[in-house]
Amino acid sequence: DHIATVRQARGGRYPDPVQAAIEAEEAGADGITLHLREDRRHIQDHDVFRIRDVLQTRMNLEMAVTEEMLCTAEKVKPEHVCLVPEKREEVTTEGGLDVKGLFDSVASACHRLGKQGIEVSLFIDPDRDQVEAAARAGAPAIELHTGAYAEAKTAGAMQEELDRLRNAVVFGLEQGLIVNAGHGLNYQNVEPVAMIAGINELNIGHSIIARALFTGLKPAVREMKTLMLDAAGKAF
Ligand SMILES: CC(=O)[C@@H](O)[C@H](O)COP(=O)(O)O
Ligand SMILES: NCC(=O)COP(=O)(O)O
């Protein structure tokens, strides 16, 4: 997404997110997440199809719960779809999907994508109600929005958000869900999250691309993966 943002700033052909996806895989990324936003501010439809053709790992397609996006996912058939909330005016994804409030449309999307063999995850805030609704909606997985943790301004607020994440992970696992997490994680704040036992995967984009400006993409991916795996080894 963030490579495509730079390309879209000039509307040209470079930098190419397909090349970035390949390099990230070569450096150890276990999958590639891309968010096809309704306003197409970064990733374009043709990027999704081109990346689908070349990926050696797994594609996690993030998208809003709309008919247009569901049809796209049915054509692309990624390994994973993550259903996210979207607001055109937001700078980035501000909060989690309100699965409880939008229950019928989310449950129907989970069913529809599940029938295609796609593993669906729901991008939600680390709240018990939303985790419970996600399990009832038939999603096999959730991705906990770590934005509030990443934006916490004091050590106390950060600790509170970490506790919220930990509780949501435990509750999600009790509900039989695969629990992922992501958003706003960077080289300074990733370790405490990676140390939470039971998290299956972290999705990290913006900080890696920002780091890559100074180090190159492969070292940036490798450095993040080392931080994550070392911290996961100390999970409690
Ligand atoms: C859903 C999510 O957290 C990310 O995919 C993020 O939305 C991508 O970056 P932008 O918010 O800049 O589109
Ligand atoms: N779902 C979150 C994600 O994929 C990456 O978010 P970010 O690291 O770009 O903020």
Side-chain angles (χ1 to χ4, degrees):
D1 299 345
H2 310 297
I3 293 279
T5 297
V6 177
R7 180 192 61 192
Q8 295 309 112
R10 291 280 173 99
R13 303 182 127 202
Y14 66 84
D16 186 359
V18 178
Q19 186 182 351
I22 293 170
E23 290 208 7
E25 280 187 332
E26 284 172 2
D30 300 293
I32 300 294
T33 293
L34 55 168
H35 184 174
L36 184 65
R37 279 187 173 268
E38 287 186 277
D39 63 8
R40 306 297 197 272
R41 69 174 72 161
H42 40 56
I43 285 291
Q44 305 295 304
D45 298 61
H46 60 83
D47 294 322
V48 178
F49 286 98
R50 288 190 309 136
I51 291 175
R52 184 79 189 111
D53 279 349
V54 300
L55 271 199
Q56 311 263 7
T57 58
R58 303 175 279 120
M59 174 182 281
N60 176 33
L61 181 62
E62 294 183 329
M63 54 180 233
V65 191
T66 64
E67 183 55 29
E68 183 207 6
M69 289 298 159
L70 289 166
C71 288
T72 301
E74 283 169 337
K75 284 190 207 125
V76 176
K77 290 196 179 24
E79 284 79 7
H80 313 270
V81 159
C82 182
L83 298 175
V84 305
E86 259 184 44
K87 279 194 228 145
R88 299 244 163 150
E89 66 280 12
E90 70 192 355
V91 171
T92 185
T93 311
E94 285 168 352
L97 187 66
D98 180 10
V99 181
K100 207 176 156 200
L102 303 168
F103 188 80
D104 289 345
S105 58
V106 173
S108 145
C110 290
H111 180 68
R112 186 164 155 187
L113 296 170
K115 271 202 307 195
Q116 302 286 326
I118 297 169
E119 182 189 277
V120 182
S121 79
L122 304 178
F123 189 57
I124 56 173
D125 288 327
D127 293 337
R128 202 177 167 90
D129 283 2
Q130 295 295 344
V131 176
E132 189 273 331
R136 262 191 309 120
I142 52 176
E143 178 174 329
L144 299 174
H145 193 318
T146 50
Y149 161 77
E151 276 163 30
K153 297 281 179 281
T154 63
M158 212 163 173
Q159 197 50 54
E160 234 171 73
E161 290 302 331
L162 260 184
D163 289 342
R164 258 180 95 199
L165 287 166
R166 263 195 218 104
N167 291 337
V169 172
V170 170
F171 186 56
L173 294 174
E174 280 169 13
Q175 300 285 305
L177 295 164
I178 297 165
V179 183
N180 302 322
H183 198 91
L185 296 176
N186 59 39
Y187 295 81
Q188 280 72 45
N189 66 21
V190 70
E191 287 163 300
V193 176
M195 284 169 75
I196 299 176
I199 293 186
N200 171 59
E201 122 187 336
L202 297 179
N203 292 319
I204 305 176
H206 189 263
S207 63
I208 294 176
I209 300 310
R211 172 71 56 116
L213 289 174
F214 302 106
T215 65
L217 186 53
K218 286 184 183 175
V221 171
R222 278 192 211 109
E223 189 185 345
M224 179 57 85
K225 192 158 178 187
T226 302
L227 275 176
M228 285 165 54
L229 292 181
D230 287 354
K234 299 175 204 147
F236 61 92

